[in-house]
Amino acid sequence: MIDCQTVRAPGTPSQASRHAVRCALLAAVLCVPLSVQADEGGAHALAQVAADTVDAALRPAYATFATEATTLADSMRTRCAAGAGPDTATLTTDWRSAVSAFAGIEFLRIGPLLDDNRLNRLFYWPDKRRAGERQLRELLTEPLASITADSMAARSVAVEGFPALERLLFPNGEVAGSEARCTTAIAVSGHVSAIAAALDRAWQDDDGIARQVREPRADDELLRDHEEVLRRIGTQIDTGLDILIERKLAPVLEGEVARLRGLPFVRSGTLVDHLRGNVASLRALMLDNGLAAAAGLESELGFEFRIADGHLDRLAELLAPAPQAIGAAHGEVGEVGEVSSADDWPMTLDEEQAGVVRALHSVLSSIRNTLRERLLPTLGIRTGFNSEDGD
Amino acid sequence: MNRTARQRRAWLSRALGVAAGSLLLRTAQAGTPDGAPGESVIAPHYLTTCRNGPDDFQLVLLDERGNLLHRQALPARAHGAATHAGRGTGCVFARRPGQWFCAVDLHRPGRLHTVAPPIDRRFSGHGVYSATGARLYTTESDIDRQRGVVGVYDVGTGYRRIDEFASEGIGPHEIVRVPGTDLLVVANGGIATHPDVDGGREPLNLDDMAPSIAVIDGRDGRPLSQHRLPDGQHRISLRHLAVDGARRVWYAGQYGRADDDRSALPAADTRALAGSFTLAADGTAAPGGALAPLLLPDGLLPGGHGYLSSVASAGDDVLYTAARDGVAFVVDPVARRVVDRQAYSDCSGVAADARGGYLVSSGTGDLAHLVRDGRWLDLEPLAMTPFAWDNHVGAVRGPDLY
């Protein structure tokens, strides 16, 4: 049995708060009969983790995404309109920041991101059948007046979000009239920005989804108690790690030669930015909200996340510098036969690069094991449905 | 009154036909323009069930792209679904040991018709309609005699129970019908349970399991053939089934062991979790078509959980889901080999569509369209929802096999 009275409380207020949450949660899980877990300290601790998830993970991520998406859309608009806006280097930087910010919300699959198919609209991936490429080619032949940010929502999800925008900004020799490409890029980036702004508004509203997560109510259809909130958070972490490990990294390592084919954001050379955003969001969901601390795993998981960061830094060093976005001004964008430097980005990894991907895969798998085997069971959080109790 | 009790009472009111407009949920209203259950006509492609929160389980109708058309509360967690497109009706079955199934009008949903088993029977989570849709066959357990039965219900008289016959084994689970016939194929999982022991989910005979697949004439209950795995593989509980376009019957197995058993699964058993036999017209195995494991490749199921969740066939290929390993994989039925796989967390429900692909659902709320493209299994994300989708999906408009 855990005796929280004998554990020295750390010094800083936030650490002390974490310590109190940890003690309360551990006591709730280990010291108190299950039937009364929802009462007293356990309930308070669950509420604190839920509130900190809103303040330390969800709201900041959506605010950053809205800011970066707006910056990118503004860059596109001014660059195309006057031909005198930000240069291609700035546009590339804006693109990279938006990619990273989006990756920061990709796994935060709760509330408004699930409404109106928004996640698919922002990021239609995987797209092995190249629906986005095919439909974008058709879109570029439409009358320009019909291609607006407002009209994008009525189109196929395959051309509404980042994959389509990447194809427009990094055309790789695909043919298109420059004006059409410019107009379409403005429309898609404007559409992405509008979705990002709507998500941010929804999360900043004190009486909206943020309140639902902080103060679940029995008559609320989405979240009825803090146990359900923690279950959703745990599911997001588990699912996010699965997507990152099994869908993004594992396929790279299959076969005799490591290859980047099929991964998102390879064309623009922002794959590492994307992965970094994914990892950051998982860290926020496990560490920044006090969840890992509540299970006594803050130091251990913090160390593993730092290892993951190190692998990402190393991968960024080893991969060739990202190509510049094709300049978005009239006359510069997507001229017939024009080839961007994105072609220079390697699809096949050498042994050292593959080794870093393998190491990243390994440390993330270790984090997933810690989550499944220790963190979630310690806190009594159930995530799987069919996998846990199927038939 | 606690929440569970309130939900049960609310559900009971609806089951008895009390107007449920105020209880119809927001997204259901989006799919039914007037917001009133039973008044608008919908054309669903899939019938399934989900968990929407603590003690909140629902029946759901989806369109071809996985969009929500309708949902409504169920008394408890459900498992399988059966549909008959011609009659426009469907059923969802309580998880075993089940004490109800609910029938629904697929085009004018809103009022569920609930049917209970005889006092000494429990539903096993699955059922299938006869070719004409006049009958519903359900897998059930005879509690006192520890034997499996197939219950027969007359659809036209409000699912009145009119007959039953032996399933030819213990612990029957999924039952399917051979397309174009009333030949029934029943997976007898071989695991004995009793409702009074751990809620009816504790295996009582792991050392003596005798799983089998029985082929039965649905018109009169006459057993036509029985199929078993090779000696030494009796711990593979044969649980889920699909029939492809060439009358091959595919099974999905689950290794029978106690919940707390973490021992490594024998490699031979992992490889034998999937397999098939081929039916002749008389309901026996065709020459050379005896039940045989597929020999799954090593590494396909990295977790080694010994657990396949569901199986379906769009005609020319077969798709399996493995929720515990987070994997879906497609099989070439002629070459009898795994073609490709997709990582897919907690995936379980799978139903063939009319275009040669599959709708696959997951306990994490995802819906995706999976389709074989030559050597590859492509995954197209359809929707991400806040629901935990349950084990199975029933196709209303599936491949033209039935």
Side-chain angles (χ1 to χ4, degrees), chain A residues 46-324:
Chain A
L46 289 176
Q48 189 61 51
V49 171
D52 287 349
T53 300
V54 172
D55 294 333
L58 297 164
R59 277 181 161 172
Y62 280 104
T64 301
F65 178 45
T67 300
E68 299 300 345
T70 301
T71 300
L72 179 63
D74 288 347
S75 289
M76 285 302 312
R77 204 162 38 242
T78 54
R79 181 83 179 146
C80 277
D87 57 23
T88 55
T90 303
L91 191 60
T92 303
T93 301
D94 292 343
W95 163 257
R96 171 177 289 133
S97 299
V99 166
S100 179
F102 166 72
I105 66 146
E106 183 190 350
F107 299 150
L108 308 182
R109 310 193 320 169
I110 186 170
L113 186 61
L114 301 183
D115 294 343
D116 196 27
N117 211 11
R118 279 172 169 149
L119 185 51
N120 268 347
R121 291 181 192 277
L122 290 169
F123 185 52
Y124 184 74
W125 182 87
D127 183 15
K128 280 189 180 177
R129 300 175 81 81
R130 294 177 171 243
E133 179 182 347
R134 194 173 59 250
Q135 292 173 17
L136 188 60
R137 199 177 297 128
E138 292 168 6
L139 177 60
L140 287 168
T141 65
E142 290 187 15
L144 296 187
S146 69
I147 306 174
T148 64
D150 290 343
S151 75
M152 293 308 298
R155 299 183 184 276
S156 160
V157 293
V159 295
E160 288 187 44
F162 279 92
L165 195 52
E166 181 184 43
R167 198 168 281 282
L168 289 162
L169 286 173
F170 301 85
N172 249 0
E174 288 171 5
V175 296
S178 60
E179 194 176 358
R181 190 171 286 273
C182 212
T183 299
T184 307
I186 290 173
V188 175
S189 61
H191 180 56
V192 166
S193 173
I195 294 175
L199 289 168
D200 186 38
R201 276 196 305 275
W203 275 103
Q204 302 310 324
D205 179 0
D206 283 331
D207 198 32
I209 181 68
R211 200 276 307 149
Q212 289 177 281
V213 175
R214 286 171 182 277
E215 303 162 25
R217 295 172 182 166
D219 61 351
D220 186 327
E221 200 207 348
L222 183 65
L223 297 166
R224 293 162 183 159
D225 53 38
H226 282 113
E227 189 179 331
E228 184 70 9
V229 171
L230 269 289
R231 181 183 179 121
R232 302 257 180 173
I233 292 169
T235 298
Q236 288 170 56
I237 301 167
D238 196 29
T239 305
L241 281 165
D242 256 0
I243 292 171
L244 188 51
I245 295 166
E246 305 298 344
R247 286 199 188 161
K248 294 179 181 173
L249 297 179
V252 175
L253 302 170
E254 288 176 356
E256 292 184 4
V257 179
R259 297 159 65 85
L260 296 179
R261 190 180 298 277
L263 285 183
F265 301 110
V266 169
R267 169 182 286 258
S268 61
T270 47
L271 171 64
V272 177
D273 301 275
H274 174 73
L275 298 176
R276 217 190 287 275
N278 281 171
V279 170
S281 74
L282 292 167
R283 178 173 41 230
L285 284 176
M286 296 177 82
L287 289 168
D288 298 353
N289 59 355
L291 187 68
L297 292 166
E298 187 175 30
S299 298
E300 186 175 326
L301 283 168
F303 177 74
E304 292 197 296
F305 272 107
R306 284 195 294 278
I307 298 289
D309 288 342
H311 293 321
L312 286 165
D313 290 344
R314 183 66 184 142
L315 190 59
E317 288 170 12
L318 291 175
L319 291 175
Q324 297 282 302

Side-chain angles (χ1 to χ4, degrees), chain B residues 242-328:
Chain B
V243 185
D244 70 16
R247 295 168 70 100
R248 285 177 288 252
V249 178
W250 295 87
Y251 74 83
Q254 297 172 5
Y255 190 75
R257 57 179 167 181
D259 282 347
D260 58 354
D261 182 354
R262 297 284 187 268
S263 60
L265 203 63
D269 285 323
T270 299
R271 287 195 287 266
L273 288 170
S276 68
F277 68 98
T278 304
L279 269 176
D282 64 357
T284 62
L291 181 64
L294 200 54
L295 300 181
L296 299 178
D298 293 342
L300 176 72
L301 305 169
H305 298 288
Y307 184 95
L308 296 183
S309 308
S310 190
V311 56
S313 175
D316 296 332
D317 48 42
V318 183
L319 193 84
Y320 282 88
T321 53
R324 292 182 183 172
D325 285 289
V327 168

